[in-house]
Amino acid sequence: PAGSNYDTVKIKIKELNEYCRNLLSSIDRVYINSNNNCLPYVLNFSVKGIRAETILHYLSSKGIYVSSGSACSKGHQSYVLKAMGLSDDLINSSIRVSFCRSNTKEDVEKLVLEINNAIDNLIKVWLEFKNERSNISKIRRNCFKGFK
């Protein structure tokens, strides 16, 4: 019957969602926003300290397409995530992954690998920027020492 195919697909998607949730949960900066009772077709999470748009651009450069916020938040901060009690920082860094019948475990693994890479690369860039900024301040202090 038609219903059994739907059930099979739903079970597969639920397993992918749980697999993704478990892998993402192992990353320090990742906070899972979706509760365990949500429909399995969507998983919402935040990467603490990194704006969603930054992660979206990084992932899209790797051929991974996800969304930010919640489905009800196009162009605005999500009132759904706000009602869930999330902080503005978590809301502004929230990513929404949609699952469908054609997704695989390999897709999930690639997503999680690239989230990890994005975090590592962005932290590295930030530290380089911070160090460079510190060096510029030292140069300015030394170059203009005593200059009034």
Side-chain angles (χ1 to χ4, degrees), residues 76-90:
H76 305 286
Q77 189 178 58
S78 171
Y79 67 87
V80 172
L81 296 175
K82 193 73 166 169
M84 290 170 56
L86 297 180
S87 69
D88 287 346
D89 288 339
L90 286 178

Side-chain angles (χ1 to χ4, degrees), residues 9 12-21 24 39-45 96-104 107-108 111:
V9 170
K12 176 193 174 194
I13 290 173
K14 184 175 188 212
E15 289 170 354
L16 284 175
N17 184 305
E18 289 172 359
Y19 186 57
C20 188
R21 180 186 297 263
L24 287 171
L39 289 173
Y41 304 98
V42 175
L43 178 63
N44 191 294
F45 64 93
R96 186 176 74 252
V97 177
S98 299
F99 297 98
C100 70
R101 72 176 66 215
S102 63
N103 289 127
T104 64
D107 294 333
V108 169
L111 168 69

Side-chain angles (χ1 to χ4, degrees), residues 64-81:
I64 300 170
Y65 302 97
V66 294
S67 303
S68 62
S70 71
C72 305
S73 66
K74 182 123 174 108
H76 305 286
Q77 189 178 58
S78 171
Y79 67 87
V80 172
L81 296 175

Side-chain angles (χ1 to χ4, degrees), residues 37 50 65 147:
N37 299 324
I50 303 174
Y65 302 97
F147 186 78

Side-chain angles (χ1 to χ4, degrees), residues 11 41-43 51 61 76 88 121-122 129 143 146:
I11 289 167
Y41 304 98
V42 175
L43 178 63
R51 292 187 61 81
S61 76
H76 305 286
D88 287 346
N121 288 332
L122 291 168
F129 171 77
C143 288

Side-chain angles (χ1 to χ4, degrees), residues 21 32-38 84:
R21 180 186 297 263
I32 305 295
N33 299 323
S34 298
N35 69 38
N36 291 326
N37 299 324
C38 292
M84 290 170 56

